[in-house]
């Protein structure tokens, strides 16, 4: 019982300590989830004022693959050219996720879908490969081969996640979930 109390106290003090840190500090120290979860505090504070800071919060959400949360920020990024570009990037990634979900669930033809190529994100790369190879989907999953990597792409209906598993020599080397 005492350990649980100490653990709860530690978590509370740590959260309180983070509230006093600025966005740049939190981002540089990899508090991506914290930034993303508190996105509405930042949106309310900086909308129409500091799109550079809101863009950092949005990027934190993207680092954790929280595309749905990043959409909240995309709506707020509309007053500067840079903000609108960042908003378009977020919306494009979310759209790619949506098209992959439809491809897996319904066999939706994505061959002629024209979206900006996003080569800086694995989901964007997977979308291009899926359009190119049109792999067959079985039980909510399909497989791609790219260079030395075998990649499984699946959709979890319960969690609404796209899951990417990257294998090299039959060993899982990276797993990414896009929510």
């Amino acid at each position: 019982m005492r350990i649980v109390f100490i653990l709860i106290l530690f978590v509370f003090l740590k959260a309180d300590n983070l509230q006093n840190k600025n966005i740049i500090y939190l981002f540089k120290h990899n508090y991506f989830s914290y930034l993303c979860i508190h996105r509405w505090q930042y949106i309310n504070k900086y909308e129409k004022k500091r799109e550079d800071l809101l863009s950092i919060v949005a990027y934190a959400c993207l680092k954790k693959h929280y595309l749905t949360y990043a959409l909240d920020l995309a709506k707020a990024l509309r007053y500067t050219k840079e903000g609108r570009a960042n908003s378009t990037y977020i919306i494009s990634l979310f759209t790619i996720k949506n098209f992959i979900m439809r491809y897996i669930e319904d066999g939706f033809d994505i061959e002629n879908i024209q979206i900006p190529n996003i080569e800086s994100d694995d989901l964007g790369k997977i979308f291009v490969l899926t359009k190119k190879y049109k792999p067959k989907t079985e039980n909510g999953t399909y497989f791609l081969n790219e260079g030395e990597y075998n990649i499984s792409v699946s959709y979890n209906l319960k969690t609404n996640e796209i899951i990417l598993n990257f294998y090299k020599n039959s060993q899982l080397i990276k797993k990414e979930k896009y929510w």
Side-chain angles (χ1 to χ4, degrees), residues 86-102:
N86 291 336
S87 176
T88 300
Y89 181 84
I90 294 164
I91 292 166
S92 295
L93 274 175
F94 186 80
T95 302
I96 286 168
K97 176 191 170 209
N98 198 12
F99 281 132
I100 291 174
M101 288 169 17
R102 296 298 90 50

Side-chain angles (χ1 to χ4, degrees), residues 102 109 132 137 155:
R102 296 298 90 50
D109 183 7
K132 181 177 178 181
T137 300
Y155 172 56

Side-chain angles (χ1 to χ4, degrees), residues 64-163:
K64 297 302 286 183
H65 304 302
Y66 298 158
L67 301 180
T68 305
Y69 289 168
L71 284 176
D72 293 331
L73 291 142
K75 291 183 275 184
L77 296 171
R78 62 182 188 271
Y79 299 101
T80 65
K81 184 177 181 178
E82 183 178 280
R84 289 186 294 274
N86 291 336
S87 176
T88 300
Y89 181 84
I90 294 164
I91 292 166
S92 295
L93 274 175
F94 186 80
T95 302
I96 286 168
K97 176 191 170 209
N98 198 12
F99 281 132
I100 291 174
M101 288 169 17
R102 296 298 90 50
Y103 180 84
I104 292 171
E105 284 186 309
D106 306 321
F108 184 77
D109 183 7
I110 61 173
E111 182 178 6
N112 295 316
I113 302 293
Q114 297 300 315
I115 294 178
N117 285 347
I118 299 179
E119 296 183 15
S120 60
D121 190 275
D122 286 332
L123 191 64
K125 293 174 190 175
I126 293 301
F127 183 69
V128 170
L129 291 172
T130 302
K131 283 174 54 170
K132 181 177 178 181
Y133 296 116
K134 302 174 199 134
K136 184 178 178 189
T137 300
E138 288 186 32
N139 299 321
T141 302
Y142 64 88
F143 298 91
L144 295 165
N145 297 315
E146 182 61 21
E148 57 191 19
Y149 298 104
N150 294 317
I151 307 158
S152 72
V153 181
S154 58
Y155 172 56
N156 185 327
L157 181 63
K158 291 179 183 176
T159 60
N160 201 35
E161 292 175 315
I162 293 292
I163 302 163

Side-chain angles (χ1 to χ4, degrees), residues 23 41-55 76-80:
I23 291 171
Q41 291 174 359
Y42 300 119
I43 291 169
N44 292 332
K45 185 174 182 177
Y46 295 117
E47 187 174 16
K48 299 181 186 176
K49 298 172 193 160
R50 295 290 309 267
E51 287 198 350
D52 57 329
L53 295 178
L54 291 179
S55 292
L77 296 171
R78 62 182 188 271
Y79 299 101
T80 65

